[in-house]
Amino acid sequence: IKSHVLFGDHEYLLMFQQAYAAVKGALQRFPWYIDANMDSKNLVWPIFNALQAFWPALEVLAGNLKDAAETHSAFYGVWRRYGYTP
């Protein structure tokens, strides 16, 4: 989506929309997201980690403010509870 915003190429938006739909359908365990193997779809890592912190901002860019706010709130809850994100 960032490439679409930066360069204005509609093909980038279509690529993002396909990937975004796949993530929402396969990886979302609301408000959390799991890590899965791309080929086998097997669970790889069921625990939140700091590398996922970009996701709420990406959802804001996609216009999905409700899910972004709820996911951000869950992530912030981890930080409040433990003082850091794993």
Side-chain angles (χ1 to χ4, degrees), residues 35 48-55 75 85-86:
D35 290 345
F48 168 73
N49 65 73
L51 295 175
Q52 298 171 350
F54 77 94
W55 190 257
F75 291 0
T85 53

Side-chain angles (χ1 to χ4, degrees), residues 7-8 15-16 19 22 34 44 49 51 53-54 65 75 79-80 86:
F7 301 118
M15 289 179 356
F16 168 76
I34 61 165
V44 173
N49 65 73
L51 295 175
F54 77 94
L65 301 181
F75 291 0
W79 183 82
R80 273 194 334 258

